[in-house]
Amino acid sequence: MKKFLDLGMQPLANKYLTSNDLKNKKKEQFYHLEVGFDNKTKLVSILNKVPSQKMFDDNYPYRSSMSKTMIRSFKALSKKIIKFYKPKIILEIGSNDGSLIKNFNKKKVICVEPCKNLAIITKGKGFKTYAEYWNISLAKKIKSNHNMVDLIYSANTLSHISDLDSVFKSINHVLSNDGVLIIEDPSLLECLKRVAYDQFYNEHIYVFSLLGIQNIIKKFNFEVFKVEKLKTHGGSLRYYIKRTSNSKIKISSNVKKQLNAELRYKMDKFTTYIEFKNKVERSKKKLVELLYKIKKNDKKIIGYGSTAKSVTVLNYCKIKSEILDYFVDTTPDKTKKYMPGTHIYIDKYKKSLLNNVDYIFLGAWNFKDEIFKKEKDFIKKGGKFITHIPTPKIV
Ligand code: TYD
């Protein structure tokens, strides 16, 4: 791995602080957020990895059901899975609060979710749930309990696991010969194009590309047979993967198309990442200038969506509560708490919290359309949004 980007010392994302934590001066864990490119595998990853147990514990706040966009995306995919693959048994790695699997027959689903506070939700609804990390010993256990699985799905999870060889070896162990693996994660091409440096934080160990995925899975005789571009999480790719020995499924032409797009963007070259780094540094300068200029005119700015992504932005740009009065968010486990590192307060979303606000910094820029729709009144009254994607500006 060759380093190309330094985002400074960062607290662990998703480790929101309570008022007691602040009172007791709880020491937060910081790590150096540096990002590198591996010329051999073409993978992009953060360099200093935090152990999974420190990130995905029994108080993990993130809920995929908090956004209508995600719910709709999962529902559409479920219909497709049933129509095209008719799986007898589906395994989801990183099932979170069950937003995808709720679309399937309970008897056909196996959930894997190491965060116990989330696993308890799907368990409570009667879904078979393993509250464990995805690894070979769990794969063996699942195989001995349920036999082979014919569809494995994992969204925004595999990029959170450091040892990709172990991930795919374990998948290889339980996936049937004709089985299909579907994974989706933020797309590196979109991340580079949008200068979305906030896709990098301790949980996002990798930001995947088709180039990188192909290099990792070929060791296990898997191949990508279809890719889909998704709008979720600021531009994601959904990879459909099969065994190379399975000739019943044809390889779609969009695989080559995506690969060509990545090569056209020179994602296989280190210099591309240096250019990205330069853009990130310019983005920081511009955002800080913009916010300070607004603040100088005595305007009130708040944040909307206390995302893990905004933890990276705020700590990298050193934006604290002198600039952003507070954040609003709908997630129960985040609200009435404080942002990691910068200690900006997160209030439970209600419309009245937007009264007397002049500007809103879009922490959840990936849900811009959904949020703009919801906040029509704020916009009508002359309220403005600020986004740093693809370049800091008022929208
Ligand atoms: P997301 O972008 O998925 O987060 P991360 O960077 O942490 O992976 O999270 C979106 C956040 O925005 C989540 O905390 C919920 C919040 N949110 C609202 O508060 N209101 C909304 O209308 C939407 C769409 C999201």
Side-chain angles (χ1 to χ4, degrees):
M1 278 289 165
K2 205 165 151 194
K3 180 179 120 178
F4 64 84
L5 180 62
D6 184 342
L7 294 166
M9 292 308 288
Q10 291 276 351
L12 300 188
N14 276 314
K15 294 288 177 200
Y16 301 90
L17 298 134
T18 62
S19 43
N20 263 341
D21 291 340
L22 289 192
K23 235 185 267 155
N24 301 331
K25 298 205 166 28
K26 183 180 165 177
K27 222 172 133 52
E28 294 178 84
Q29 189 187 335
F30 281 77
Y31 68 102
H32 195 176
L33 179 52
E34 296 176 296
V35 191
F37 171 70
D38 184 340
N39 196 30
K40 206 166 130 219
T41 60
K42 311 297 175 198
L43 282 168
V44 163
S45 87
I46 65 170
L47 302 182
N48 303 303
K49 292 160 192 151
V50 177
S52 300
Q53 285 78 1
K54 287 214 160 166
M55 302 189 277
F56 309 111
D57 56 14
D58 304 345
N59 301 301
Y60 190 66
Y62 184 80
R63 299 278 191 91
S64 39
S65 64
M66 281 301 120
S67 137
K68 284 189 190 138
T69 316
M70 289 313 289
I71 302 238
R72 265 199 299 271
S73 169
F74 287 140
K75 194 164 188 162
L77 174 66
S78 313
K79 278 192 188 151
K80 246 194 237 179
I81 288 179
I82 294 169
K83 187 170 164 199
F84 291 112
Y85 304 111
K86 304 179 184 64
K88 288 191 279 294
I89 190 131
I90 301 161
L91 167 69
E92 185 178 10
I93 307 171
S95 46
N96 199 274
D97 58 2
S99 305
L100 174 91
I101 52 97
K102 70 168 191 200
N103 298 300
F104 295 97
N105 180 336
K106 278 191 183 102
K107 291 196 193 104
K108 290 188 165 189
V109 174
I110 306 165
C111 304
V112 172
E113 177 49 67
C115 303
K116 295 203 171 58
N117 61 317
L118 297 172
I120 216 166
I121 300 173
T122 50
K123 242 182 213 169
K125 290 184 183 152
F127 289 96
K128 179 76 199 162
T129 307
Y130 292 88
E132 292 178 47
Y133 293 98
W134 179 248
N135 55 34
I136 191 71
S137 67
L138 178 59
K140 283 181 178 163
K141 193 186 325 182
I142 289 176
K143 189 168 160 181
S144 84
N145 290 348
H146 309 271
N147 215 335
M148 299 295 250
V149 170
D150 44 17
L151 196 130
I152 300 180
Y153 174 73
S154 189
N156 304 303
T157 300
L158 302 191
S159 58
H160 296 43
I161 308 176
S162 171
D163 187 348
L164 293 179
D165 279 346
S166 153
V167 162
F168 289 102
K169 188 175 154 199
S170 311
I171 288 172
N172 192 22
H173 190 77
V174 286
L175 189 69
S176 64
N177 285 340
D178 295 340
V180 169
L181 163 67
I182 305 173
I183 60 180
E184 62 183 69
D185 283 280
S187 152
L188 183 59
L189 179 58
E190 296 306 318
C191 164
L192 298 177
K193 279 185 181 167
R194 287 166 210 227
V195 199
Y197 62 90
D198 51 356
Q199 289 290 8
F200 297 106
Y201 51 90
N202 58 303
E203 292 175 12
H204 282 185
I205 297 176
Y206 299 94
V207 176
F208 288 144
S209 58
L210 176 59
L211 270 168
I213 286 288
Q214 282 186 327
N215 281 328
I216 291 297
I217 64 172
K218 70 179 180 209
K219 283 189 248 178
F220 300 94
N221 297 318
F222 285 130
E223 64 187 349
V224 176
F225 66 87
K226 188 162 90 175
V227 283
E228 276 169 6
K229 285 192 205 171
L230 307 176
K231 285 195 171 155
T232 53
H233 287 289
S236 296
L237 276 185
R238 181 180 281 155
Y239 309 84
Y240 290 76
I241 296 167
K242 65 173 186 73
R243 293 186 187 279
T244 42
S245 58
N246 176 0
S247 52
K248 279 185 248 165
I249 300 178
K250 294 278 163 284
I251 297 188
S252 157
S253 58
N254 63 20
V255 177
K256 185 106 191 138
K257 215 167 138 194
Q258 175 65 25
L259 201 64
N260 286 342
E262 293 185 356
L263 291 172
R264 254 199 321 275
Y265 203 86
K266 299 194 172 65
M267 279 169 61
D268 55 338
K269 303 272 186 312
F270 187 69
T271 48
T272 306
Y273 299 93
I274 293 295
E275 275 167 35
F276 175 71
K277 176 204 83 156
N278 294 335
K279 285 184 199 162
V280 172
E281 287 171 358
R282 282 200 292 273
S283 171
K284 172 183 181 173
K285 194 164 167 269
K286 220 167 156 187
L287 179 65
V288 171
E289 279 170 7
L290 178 64
L291 292 173
Y292 274 83
K293 199 170 131 199
I294 293 171
K295 213 56 204 173
K296 239 173 101 187
N297 293 327
D298 271 341
K299 299 290 184 200
K300 181 169 173 175
I301 319 173
I302 66 161
Y304 197 117
S306 49
T307 56
K309 290 187 286 295
S310 45
V311 172
T312 294
V313 177
L314 301 179
N315 286 281
Y316 175 57
C317 300
K318 303 200 168 40
I319 298 163
K320 297 191 179 178
S321 46
E322 296 87 61
I323 298 288
L324 299 183
D325 286 35
Y326 50 85
F327 263 85
V328 290
D329 200 288
T330 50
T331 315
D333 290 338
K334 291 184 182 180
T335 47
K336 306 285 172 201
K337 290 187 181 165
Y338 297 82
M339 290 293 270
T342 56
H343 301 178
I344 300 172
Y345 184 62
I346 308 161
D347 214 336
K348 187 171 166 19
Y349 172 82
K350 55 174 189 279
K351 264 209 159 87
S352 62
L353 283 170
L354 308 188
N355 294 344
N356 311 316
V357 168
D358 301 297
Y359 293 86
I360 294 178
F361 171 70
L362 258 182
W365 55 266
N366 44 317
F367 293 117
K368 185 170 146 230
D369 295 346
E370 185 174 337
I371 293 170
F372 277 20
K373 214 163 160 189
K374 202 161 136 188
E375 306 308 343
K376 277 198 301 273
D377 295 341
F378 171 76
I379 298 170
K380 240 191 226 151
K381 279 193 231 149
K384 298 263 190 301
F385 280 91
I386 299 166
T387 182
H388 63 292
I389 299 294
T391 169
K393 59 173 182 273
I394 298 166
V395 280

